[in-house]
Amino acid sequence: AGKFYQHAPTETSQATLASVSPVFAVMKFDKDGNTTYFEKKKTELYQELGLQARDLRFQHVMSIATRNNRIIMRMEFLKAVITPEFLLILDYRNLSLEHWLLNELASQLAGEGQLVTYSLPFEFRAIEAILQYWISKLQGRLNTLQPQILETLEALVDPKLLSVDRSKLHVLLQNGKSLSELETDLKVFKETILEILDEEEVIEELCLSKWSDPKIFEESTSGIDHAEEMELLLENYYRQAEDLLNEARELRVLIDDSESIIFINLDSHRNVMMRLNLQLTMGTFSVSLFGLIGVAFGMNLESSLEEDPRIFWLVTGIMFLGSGLIWRRLLSFLGRHLDPPLPPHIPTVLKKSQPAAGRVEIKTSLKGETFGLSRSTLTNQ
């Protein structure tokens, strides 16, 4: 009786856990592009596929792994299981994902699309279709951010503006955060593919048909082994991700340089206001200094000077003339001490020895024009 009471709760808990296991909405594609939809519990699905429960976890990560002649691909919200005969997409109910599944994936798997692996086994077409979808999604995000960032920077680095539009700064901040997220996703995508490229055994395991039907897995028409074809396929998308990451880095450098230009423009306008304030202070000092003469004549003291009508104009002229001379003298003193020094002379030999920077020069004319405008503004001011 004691043994019965010890095992009864365990059996009940196991039955309860099995009954509440999550249910996957699955879309299945075969080699001909035929599509079927069904729902199945997680326990039943991983048992049919010969996988383990941890292989079908709800994880928004990026990974490509093989287990029991199955390829498990996770691209954040996109989860797929590839076999030599069919492709399973788990939890496909996503607007953008569902549009791609219904309109493009079926034809690509059937060999009707523009995939270069249409003549290779089914797993090649499935892997390339998923990688192409993900890299095009990252490319679309970059194409959306790039014009917005360039337009915002053009409005912010204008030297004619005396102040910075805070709404533009808010837009630039949001785009900067989106650009950082894109850079992170691209780095993760590159690292995921690089981990596979560094392991020859993993590349061999990705060739599922090699283990299911060795006769199919012969050399391709180009005379290259299919394992090398898989490596070339992954390297192709690794290079595309590297190119996108370089473009994102150029945008990041452009944002950082534009921020420096914005600070230079603000400092320039601040210096102009401070200089104007100093000039007005000197003018007030000059007028006040010679205003002492008027104060002296305004005292209730009797002298023979107040009886002459020409004395008023003489004293007034001396006051304005003296104030103007002192103010002019102070301004010349201010100009000598505040003007920036001339740049040092660079010898011709050094100029010729400097290498030309190829990647530093941004393709857009925004960066060069902005530096020229800010420099001319500082020189004039």
Side-chain angles (χ1 to χ4, degrees), residues 116-132:
V116 297
T117 56
Y118 64 92
S119 61
L120 294 173
F122 176 76
E123 63 269 16
F124 283 80
R125 300 197 298 271
I127 292 175
E128 185 179 9
I130 294 175
L131 292 179
Q132 187 183 48

Side-chain angles (χ1 to χ4, degrees), residues 54 56-63 74 76-77 79:
R54 64 174 177 269
L56 303 180
R57 284 177 182 170
F58 293 89
Q59 293 179 337
H60 289 277
V61 296
M62 190 172 296
S63 63
R74 293 189 182 95
E76 293 185 0
F77 56 85
K79 306 179 185 67

Side-chain angles (χ1 to χ4, degrees), residues 8-71:
T10 305
E11 294 176 357
T12 303
S13 62
Q14 291 177 354
T16 303
L17 290 175
S19 61
V20 298
S21 61
V23 178
F24 287 103
V26 184
M27 184 179 290
K28 181 179 179 180
F29 299 87
D30 60 9
K31 294 181 178 180
D32 299 327
N34 300 323
T35 308
T36 56
Y37 309 87
F38 58 89
E39 293 185 356
K40 185 163 290 189
K41 290 184 178 181
K42 180 179 180 179
T43 53
E44 299 176 358
L45 185 60
Y46 74 73
Q47 289 176 0
E48 290 181 3
L49 295 175
L51 301 175
Q52 299 181 6
R54 64 174 177 269
D55 297 328
L56 303 180
R57 284 177 182 170
F58 293 89
Q59 293 179 337
H60 289 277
V61 296
M62 190 172 296
S63 63
I64 302 175
T66 58
R67 188 183 298 276
N68 196 14
N69 204 27
R70 304 285 189 267
I71 300 176

